[in-house]
Tab-separated table of all heavy atoms in Angstrom:
chain	number	residue	atom	x	y	z
Q	290	GLN	N	-0.604	12.963	17.333
Q	290	GLN	CA	0.208	13.315	18.488
Q	290	GLN	C	1.602	12.760	18.238
Q	290	GLN	O	1.753	11.632	17.753
Q	290	GLN	CB	-0.379	12.722	19.756
Q	290	GLN	CG	-1.771	13.233	20.039
Q	290	GLN	CD	-2.462	12.468	21.147
Q	290	GLN	OE1	-2.236	11.287	21.342
Q	290	GLN	NE2	-3.324	13.160	21.871
Q	291	ALA	N	2.615	13.538	18.560
Q	291	ALA	CA	3.982	13.132	18.236
Q	291	ALA	C	4.955	13.545	19.327
Q	291	ALA	O	4.748	14.540	20.022
Q	291	ALA	CB	4.409	13.761	16.914
Q	292	ILE	N	6.002	12.772	19.440
Q	292	ILE	CA	7.169	13.163	20.221
Q	292	ILE	C	8.219	13.552	19.192
Q	292	ILE	O	8.558	12.757	18.304
Q	292	ILE	CB	7.652	12.033	21.135
Q	292	ILE	CG1	6.572	11.721	22.165
Q	292	ILE	CG2	8.966	12.419	21.814
Q	292	ILE	CD1	6.853	10.537	23.046
Q	293	VAL	N	8.686	14.786	19.275
Q	293	VAL	CA	9.647	15.305	18.305
Q	293	VAL	C	10.906	15.777	19.017
Q	293	VAL	O	10.862	16.168	20.186
Q	293	VAL	CB	9.038	16.457	17.469
Q	293	VAL	CG1	7.817	15.993	16.701
Q	293	VAL	CG2	8.676	17.651	18.335
Q	294	SER	N	12.008	15.719	18.307
Q	294	SER	CA	13.286	16.203	18.828
Q	294	SER	C	13.793	17.308	17.927
Q	294	SER	O	13.656	17.238	16.703
Q	294	SER	CB	14.326	15.073	18.846
Q	294	SER	OG	13.901	14.021	19.645
Q	295	LYS	N	14.377	18.302	18.562
Q	295	LYS	CA	14.988	19.406	17.837
Q	295	LYS	C	16.256	19.755	18.591
Q	295	LYS	O	16.179	20.209	19.735
Q	295	LYS	CB	14.018	20.579	17.776
Q	295	LYS	CG	14.356	21.603	16.751
Q	295	LYS	CD	13.216	22.585	16.610
Q	295	LYS	CE	13.548	23.600	15.550
Q	295	LYS	NZ	12.513	24.603	15.428
Q	296	GLY	N	17.406	19.473	17.977
Q	296	GLY	CA	18.661	19.629	18.706
Q	296	GLY	C	18.724	18.606	19.822
Q	296	GLY	O	18.492	17.425	19.597
Q	297	VAL	N	18.975	19.067	21.041
Q	297	VAL	CA	19.033	18.162	22.192
Q	297	VAL	C	17.733	18.173	22.999
Q	297	VAL	O	17.648	17.530	24.033
Q	297	VAL	CB	20.229	18.496	23.113
Q	297	VAL	CG1	21.535	18.297	22.371
Q	297	VAL	CG2	20.118	19.910	23.653
Q	298	ARG	N	16.719	18.881	22.534
Q	298	ARG	CA	15.447	18.990	23.244
Q	298	ARG	C	14.398	18.051	22.654
Q	298	ARG	O	14.378	17.803	21.459
Q	298	ARG	CB	14.902	20.426	23.164
Q	298	ARG	CG	15.809	21.526	23.658
Q	298	ARG	CD	15.873	21.644	25.168
Q	298	ARG	NE	14.604	21.578	25.822
Q	298	ARG	CZ	13.993	22.568	26.446
Q	298	ARG	NH1	14.542	23.751	26.488
Q	298	ARG	NH2	12.843	22.391	27.042
Q	299	THR	N	13.503	17.563	23.508
Q	299	THR	CA	12.406	16.694	23.087
Q	299	THR	C	11.095	17.358	23.478
Q	299	THR	O	10.978	17.923	24.567
Q	299	THR	CB	12.523	15.311	23.755
Q	299	THR	OG1	13.777	14.743	23.384
Q	299	THR	CG2	11.406	14.390	23.313
Q	300	TYR	N	10.108	17.294	22.586
Q	300	TYR	CA	8.838	17.973	22.780
Q	300	TYR	C	7.662	17.046	22.483
Q	300	TYR	O	7.779	16.133	21.676
Q	300	TYR	CB	8.717	19.172	21.818
Q	300	TYR	CG	9.838	20.156	21.912
Q	300	TYR	CD1	10.939	20.054	21.077
Q	300	TYR	CD2	9.793	21.197	22.833
Q	300	TYR	CE1	11.975	20.980	21.156
Q	300	TYR	CE2	10.821	22.119	22.920
Q	300	TYR	CZ	11.915	22.002	22.076
Q	300	TYR	OH	12.933	22.904	22.162
Q	301	LEU	N	6.535	17.337	23.099
Q	301	LEU	CA	5.263	16.736	22.734
Q	301	LEU	C	4.594	17.709	21.774
Q	301	LEU	O	4.550	18.916	22.029
Q	301	LEU	CB	4.394	16.526	23.978
Q	301	LEU	CG	3.004	15.953	23.757
Q	301	LEU	CD1	3.088	14.569	23.122
Q	301	LEU	CD2	2.251	15.882	25.070
Q	302	ALA	N	4.087	17.202	20.659
Q	302	ALA	CA	3.496	18.076	19.642
Q	302	ALA	C	2.248	17.430	19.062
Q	302	ALA	O	2.025	16.227	19.203
Q	302	ALA	CB	4.505	18.325	18.526
Q	303	THR	N	1.430	18.254	18.403
Q	303	THR	CA	0.330	17.739	17.592
Q	303	THR	C	0.527	18.249	16.176
Q	303	THR	O	1.015	19.365	15.968
Q	303	THR	CB	-1.059	18.185	18.101
Q	303	THR	OG1	-1.122	19.609	18.124
Q	303	THR	CG2	-1.344	17.628	19.476
Q	304	ILE	N	0.155	17.414	15.215
Q	304	ILE	CA	0.245	17.782	13.810
Q	304	ILE	C	-1.128	17.574	13.189
Q	304	ILE	O	-1.732	16.515	13.341
Q	304	ILE	CB	1.300	16.945	13.065
Q	304	ILE	CG1	2.684	17.216	13.666
Q	304	ILE	CG2	1.322	17.265	11.582
Q	304	ILE	CD1	3.349	16.051	14.252
Q	305	ASP	N	-1.611	18.605	12.509
Q	305	ASP	CA	-2.878	18.515	11.803
Q	305	ASP	C	-2.605	17.908	10.429
Q	305	ASP	O	-1.881	18.515	9.625
Q	305	ASP	CB	-3.491	19.906	11.664
Q	305	ASP	CG	-4.858	19.887	11.015
Q	305	ASP	OD1	-5.121	19.000	10.190
Q	305	ASP	OD2	-5.665	20.774	11.333
Q	306	PRO	N	-3.133	16.726	10.130
Q	306	PRO	CA	-2.815	16.086	8.857
Q	306	PRO	C	-3.407	16.778	7.630
Q	306	PRO	O	-2.959	16.544	6.519
Q	306	PRO	CB	-3.387	14.676	9.013
Q	306	PRO	CG	-4.459	14.801	10.021
Q	306	PRO	CD	-4.022	15.898	10.949
Q	307	THR	N	-4.388	17.636	7.818
Q	307	THR	CA	-4.975	18.331	6.673
Q	307	THR	C	-4.185	19.577	6.302
Q	307	THR	O	-4.094	19.934	5.133
Q	307	THR	CB	-6.450	18.704	6.923
Q	307	THR	OG1	-6.533	19.525	8.079
Q	307	THR	CG2	-7.305	17.469	7.105
Q	308	THR	N	-3.592	20.246	7.283
Q	308	THR	CA	-2.844	21.475	7.016
Q	308	THR	C	-1.331	21.314	7.188
Q	308	THR	O	-0.579	22.213	6.840
Q	308	THR	CB	-3.303	22.598	7.970
Q	308	THR	OG1	-2.983	22.221	9.319
Q	308	THR	CG2	-4.786	22.871	7.827
Side-chain angles (χ1 to χ4, degrees):
Q290 299 169 329
I292 296 174
V293 300
S294 300
K295 197 170 181 183
V297 297
R298 304 283 315 249
T299 301
Y300 305 93
L301 178 61
T303 58
I304 297 119
D305 184 330
T307 58
T308 64

